[in-house]
Amino acid sequence: MKTVYRATRGDKKALLNDIEPGMSLFVINEHVGNSGPSKTYSEYIVTTEKMPFTRTPVVQSPVTRGKSSLESLLGKEREIYTQRPSLPNLGARDNHSAYTEDAQRTATLVADLHAQEAALAMSREWSLAGRR
């Protein structure tokens, strides 16, 4: 299995062959703000659901619970990763500027842990559904 799939015909076909329900997929988000450019990642879980006409697998975000087709996600993001990037999780961002530096670091770690636990729970749910 590859670690990065790009929006090409060959990679799309390979991704569709390699995925299974409950698998985590990651996309990298680029942001431009007052402090300059930064990157985060978003996680999506492969479900057992399929799109009605194309039969393309549906992916779901554990943070927002939003669903989209894998094909549209690949087309929009241009790259999908199968390994968790060493970047902050977009869904776990914590912007409480009133915290001290240590409290901010702890809040960020807790938010990251919560996002990873939500993704793991959703991954288990869909992988069990895929075995039925």
Side-chain angles (χ1 to χ4, degrees):
M1 172 176 284
K2 296 170 59 170
T3 57
V4 114
Y5 294 89
R6 292 183 174 75
T8 64
R9 181 181 259 167
D11 275 7
K12 178 180 145 187
K13 187 175 181 179
L15 179 60
L16 290 172
N17 286 333
D18 292 346
I19 61 168
E20 55 189 47
M23 184 176 178
S24 291
L25 301 174
F26 307 93
V27 297
I28 294 180
N29 313 298
E30 295 188 25
H31 310 277
V32 177
N34 293 340
S35 60
S38 64
K39 292 183 179 183
T40 60
Y41 76 90
S42 296
E43 185 168 358
Y44 294 87
I45 307 298
V46 179
T47 70
T48 57
E49 298 174 13
K50 304 277 185 191
M51 292 303 291
F53 298 110
T54 62
R55 306 302 297 157
T56 306
V58 172
V59 294
Q60 184 174 16
S61 168
V63 174
T64 64
R65 296 289 209 191
K67 295 181 181 180
S68 68
S69 76
L70 180 62
E71 190 173 31
S72 69
L73 181 67
L74 182 59
K76 183 178 89 174
E77 299 296 338
R78 309 306 294 166
E79 290 183 341
I80 292 180
Y81 298 83
T82 56
Q83 293 181 346
R84 186 180 310 275
S86 59
L87 297 168
N89 187 335
L90 176 64
R93 287 193 307 183
D94 186 34
N95 296 322
H96 292 89
S97 58
Y99 288 157
T100 64
E101 189 175 319
D102 288 340
Q104 178 68 37
R105 193 172 25 258
T106 302
T108 301
L109 290 173
V110 169
D112 282 343
L113 182 61
H114 176 68
Q116 287 179 5
E117 286 176 350
L120 184 60
M122 184 180 285
S123 179
R124 281 191 203 124
E125 174 187 337
W126 286 113
S127 65
L128 290 174
R131 293 183 188 152
R132 293 183 199 156

